[in-house]
Amino acid sequence: MIDIQQVTKEFSGKTAVKNLSLTVEDGKIFGFLGPNGAGKSTTIKMITGILPIEQGKITINGFDITEHPLEAKKRIGYVPDRSDVFLRLKGIEYLNFIADVYDVPTDIRKKRIEYYAKSFGIYESLNDHILTYSHGMRQKIVISGVLLHEPEVWILDEPLTGLDPKSSYTLKEMMREHANKGNIVFFSTHVLEVVEQLCDEVAIINNGHIEFLGNMSEMKQQFQEDDNLEKVFLELTQNE
Amino acid sequence: MNKTWKLVRTIVKMQFSLAGKSTSEQIGYAFLFIFAIPFSIFIFYAIDGIVGGLYNILEPAGNESFILGLLFISMFVVLILVSVGSILSSFYFAEDIESFLSLPYHPFQIMLGKSAVPFITLYVTNAAVLAPGLIVFGMHSGSGVLYYIYALILWTVTPVLPFVLTAIIVMYGMRFLNLSKNKDRMKIFAGLFTFIFIIGINIVLRMNNSSTDAGEDLACLIEEQNGLLNTITTFFPTAYLHSITLTDPVSARGFLFLVLSLIIIACAFVLYLTAGQKLYFKGVLGLSGGSKKKFDEEKITKKIKQSNVLFISWVREMRTIFRTPTFFTQIIVQSLVFPVLFIVVILFDSNGGDFSISSLGSMVEEIEPKRFILAMTGFTVFALGINPASISSISRDGKSWFNHLYMPIKAETVIMSKVWAAFCINLLTLLVIGAVAFIFANIPIGIGVIWFGMSLIINWITSVAGTTLDLYTPNLQWTDEREVFKGRLIGILALIIEVVVFGSIILFLWNVDWLEGLWMTSSILTAAFILLSFVCHLILKKVIRTHYYSIHQ
Ligand SMILES: Nc1ncnc2c1ncn2[C@@H]1O[C@H](COP(=O)(O)OP(=O)(O)O)[C@@H](O)[C@H]1O
Ligand SMILES: [Mg+2]
């Protein structure tokens, strides 16, 4: 379970996230929807321990990210929005590094590396430096790295940007599968359509606070009643 | 021609632009400039001492040309040393290479543009060493205006030949290496190439010297006018021409040799342009492409194995350093410059100078053991002081720094893997220095062991201190790896701090009377250093707490 309580983040006077609270139950795919600059990445960075939390509290399956960072981080698999991974490593070295960090035994990592790299069609590039990968390939190697340790909580920041349709489909399938096993999948996007296809629960964030929290059918209803939300909706549908 | 000039100007402007540099950095440069003034006075006096001394000894037999010969030869070697690194990084490894390839220029024009910055670097070296040398010689020989005019001309052209020769060899080598289509091996080879080259020159010089019985022959040579010059310049014809020109500027021979020098240099320059036109792109074009290797499944499965997180993080650091061309040249090659200079000094001086092999050996016996150990320690601090691996520990990660933050690795583990990487790279320096000292200067085993032990602690301290400094003020927002080293004052800052701290310990021990003997001195020194490394660790811990999670914001 992800539990976010009253979290606030300021950047030199500008508030990026204001008093944000939400919880995500196990086995759910949670869509974090919002236009560019809404505060999605900032929130995700606080959940994953990249940004220190100034006010509020975040726990991952009972472990506070500030107080027990290692325990919490072990349970998280994070796919960043930028693919600035360790570019000078070869694909296989990167995956092996990740497996070491998250304590994946050798025989299991062998099986999984082969399985995921082949599913994404990057198996034959594993012996090349990540530097030579395209954006989509980098995304795929990071995703493979995350799935390698089967995290209880899978967090993805705009994961579908830059993926080709086939990989996009594969990834969505994997997200579904992962959630069906009882894990959490939490991802951000600025595309309404993706949320409609995939999510069990949705939060809509704008200007750093949550405008809506609920399931899909509730969301559609709200759009028609709430003026403010309609504006957000327009912004989201005009995108792409 | 006009177009070429524009290109050169643009490239130079891009490199030296102060735009985007913070005011604190600009203040730093101002400080550097102010520092340079007393430093240059110091250099001037040092050179005056050496040249003046030699002049008085050699002048009676008409051998003063030897001083100039030595000056030009050492300049030649130093300029080659400086060139190799800067040519490699500017010609081949700079990230902006690709953007120039698409411009409508001839290969030689782009090569000229790319030469500008390395060439300016050479002139700085040239101004620091050769210029005062020539002025001092002129003062001692009481030469007239003509000497200074010739000297100015020769000073201006001196960097051309070493630069051009190095560039041709490097370009040829890169073309050849590119054919082998193996990027990784190529980079390492390129770095090693420098050293093989330098050591090769040394061996040639040494063989030339040692085949003659030094004492007697030296006596003969001194009696013969220009005899010494003829011997040392066998392999450097231009140094011979330059020296004769300047010892005898008013004669027809002086003028003739000056013209000859200029013709040789001009020919070399033309050769350089031709070589650039023919070779430059061949080396560059393959670089950005990335070669398509055959896929080998077995290789992949073999790489999958479990290891300790600290160890695998250390492996990642080392891989990054060895695989990133800029890091390789700035860290590995740089850290070998000092030991190589050490070798040059020792081998060059094989005929009885202060640092020659024999005199180093006897020095060990003559000097008080306490002072010897202290001096050796000071020397080691200098050799390890600029520790480019440690002061780039954090900055090297650049925008990928945040990856450490979400992974379940302790901050201490990440930082220690970086400290270990810096330590291991410096160990290379130590081993080279140690091996040379051990083989060539008969240093007793006991002292050797003490030195090595002490050096390991010093190495550890500088690695921790450098990493701490970099964590305190990292530069993570770079787009080109060179920014990790360029325009940052951290290297000088680290050196100043280390020289002050270690220097005061050494100076203190040097001057206290109650301290005597080899064992007592080294025990106290070791104790002091262990204490120091303990303090460094405490500071590092504190900086980790305050900075590790906030530097990327
Ligand atoms: N490091 C930073 N410094 C200052 N402002 C930032 C920083 N990171 C994000 N912001 C600001 O915070 C707001 C939210 O950004 P972000 O969370 O990245 O949005 P998005 O929803 O598109 O992921 C934006 O207005 C952005 O300008
Ligand atoms: Mg974002």
Side-chain angles (χ1 to χ4, degrees), chain B residues 189-232:
Chain B
F189 192 88
L192 292 179
F193 169 77
T194 325
F195 298 99
I196 295 168
F197 187 67
I198 292 158
I199 291 166
I201 286 187
N202 266 296
I203 291 172
V204 169
L205 285 172
R206 233 169 79 78
M207 283 193 320
N208 188 38
N209 278 344
S210 56
S211 63
T212 59
D213 192 275
E216 273 176 36
D217 280 12
L218 204 64
C220 299
L221 287 170
I222 282 182
E223 277 159 28
E224 181 189 331
Q225 199 190 13
N226 293 335
L228 277 177
L229 181 69
N230 293 336
T231 320
I232 64 158

Side-chain angles (χ1 to χ4, degrees), chain B residues 265-405:
Chain B
I265 288 166
C267 289
F269 195 73
V270 172
L271 189 69
Y272 164 66
L273 293 183
T274 323
Q277 181 71 8
K278 286 214 152 63
L279 298 174
Y280 184 40
F281 274 15
K282 285 195 181 122
V284 175
L285 288 175
L287 278 174
S288 39
S291 54
K292 196 77 213 147
K293 270 169 283 170
K294 226 177 69 205
F295 175 67
D296 185 350
E297 184 150 9
E298 211 171 295
K299 242 182 173 166
I300 286 187
T301 29
K302 236 179 36 209
K303 279 205 173 129
I304 303 178
K305 56 173 182 278
Q306 216 164 344
S307 42
N308 172 283
V309 175
L310 177 62
F311 175 73
I312 193 99
S313 303
W314 173 82
V315 171
R316 194 200 57 227
E317 290 301 319
M318 297 301 274
R319 278 184 177 140
T320 310
I321 292 172
F322 274 93
R323 286 179 187 170
T324 314
T326 313
F327 296 159
F328 185 80
T329 44
Q330 295 282 336
I331 294 174
I332 309 288
V333 175
Q334 287 283 334
S335 64
L336 284 174
V337 163
F338 194 88
V340 167
L341 279 183
F342 177 66
I343 298 173
V344 170
V345 167
I346 282 214
L347 297 188
F348 246 108
D349 237 8
S350 61
N351 277 339
D354 274 349
F355 290 102
S356 72
I357 296 152
S358 49
S359 68
L360 251 184
S362 59
M363 208 156 79
V364 178
E365 282 153 28
E366 280 166 23
I367 296 180
E368 251 182 275
K370 163 182 152 182
R371 305 235 147 133
F372 189 76
I373 277 288
L374 289 176
M376 269 197 330
T377 309
F379 168 80
T380 312
V381 170
F382 253 107
L384 301 178
I386 300 182
N387 184 331
S390 72
I391 54 164
S392 62
S393 286
I394 311 299
S395 304
R396 279 198 304 267
D397 281 334
K399 288 176 186 144
S400 66
W401 170 257
F402 76 97
N403 284 293
H404 299 300
L405 305 182

Side-chain angles (χ1 to χ4, degrees), chain A residues 33-35 190-193 196 204-206 211 216 219-224 226-239:
Chain A
L33 184 64
H190 58 263
V191 186
L192 188 66
E193 215 184 299
E196 285 178 316
I204 295 178
I205 180 173
N206 195 24
E211 307 260 352
M216 288 306 305
M219 185 178 85
K220 294 223 172 100
Q221 209 175 352
Q222 280 272 336
F223 273 143
Q224 277 141 25
D226 191 328
D227 273 1
N228 197 16
L229 207 56
E230 193 184 347
K231 241 173 59 202
V232 179
F233 178 77
L234 277 178
E235 255 180 87
L236 292 172
T237 40
Q238 273 162 6
N239 255 318

Side-chain angles (χ1 to χ4, degrees), chain A residues 50 52 70 73 78 82 84 88 92-93 96-98 100 102 106 109 123-124 126-129, chain B residues 295 297 299 303 305-307 312 316 319 323-324 399-400 403 405-406 408 481 549 552-553:
Chain A
I50 295 174
L70 290 196
K73 285 174 189 175
Y78 168 52
R82 293 185 326 206
D84 291 318
R88 295 284 170 180
I92 187 66
E93 292 165 353
N96 205 34
F97 173 74
I98 295 293
D100 277 330
Y102 291 89
T106 308
R109 67 173 86 166
Y123 190 61
E124 306 234 321
L126 284 185
N127 218 3
D128 298 334
H129 294 152
Chain B
F295 175 67
E297 184 150 9
K299 242 182 173 166
K303 279 205 173 129
K305 56 173 182 278
Q306 216 164 344
S307 42
I312 193 99
R316 194 200 57 227
R319 278 184 177 140
R323 286 179 187 170
T324 314
K399 288 176 186 144
S400 66
N403 284 293
L405 305 182
Y406 64 78
E481 285 107 357
Y549 285 98
H552 69 291
Q553 288 182 44

Side-chain angles (χ1 to χ4, degrees), chain A residues 35-42 44-45 81-82 157-158 188 190:
Chain A
N36 293 323
K40 303 183 295 291
S41 296
T42 306
I44 286 181
K45 283 178 184 163
D81 51 347
R82 293 185 326 206
D157 198 351
E158 312 222 3
S188 74
H190 58 263

Side-chain angles (χ1 to χ4, degrees), chain B residues 60-136:
Chain B
N63 255 317
E64 68 274 20
S65 57
F66 174 75
I67 302 168
L68 289 170
L70 206 60
L71 199 58
F72 282 114
I73 292 177
S74 354
M75 215 47 224
F76 198 87
V77 174
V78 169
L79 290 175
I80 282 183
L81 264 171
V82 178
S83 305
V84 176
S86 55
I87 287 176
L88 273 176
S89 60
S90 172
F91 278 29
Y92 293 99
F93 296 149
E95 298 294 320
D96 58 1
I97 271 288
E98 277 176 58
S99 47
F100 289 109
L101 288 181
S102 58
L103 298 178
Y105 279 111
H106 283 295
F108 85 90
Q109 288 172 311
I110 293 180
M111 180 195 68
L112 269 180
K114 286 260 139 198
S115 303
V117 174
F119 211 63
I120 291 170
T121 326
L122 290 195
Y123 271 101
V124 175
T125 320
N126 207 25
V129 182
L130 187 59
L134 291 176
I135 293 172
V136 167

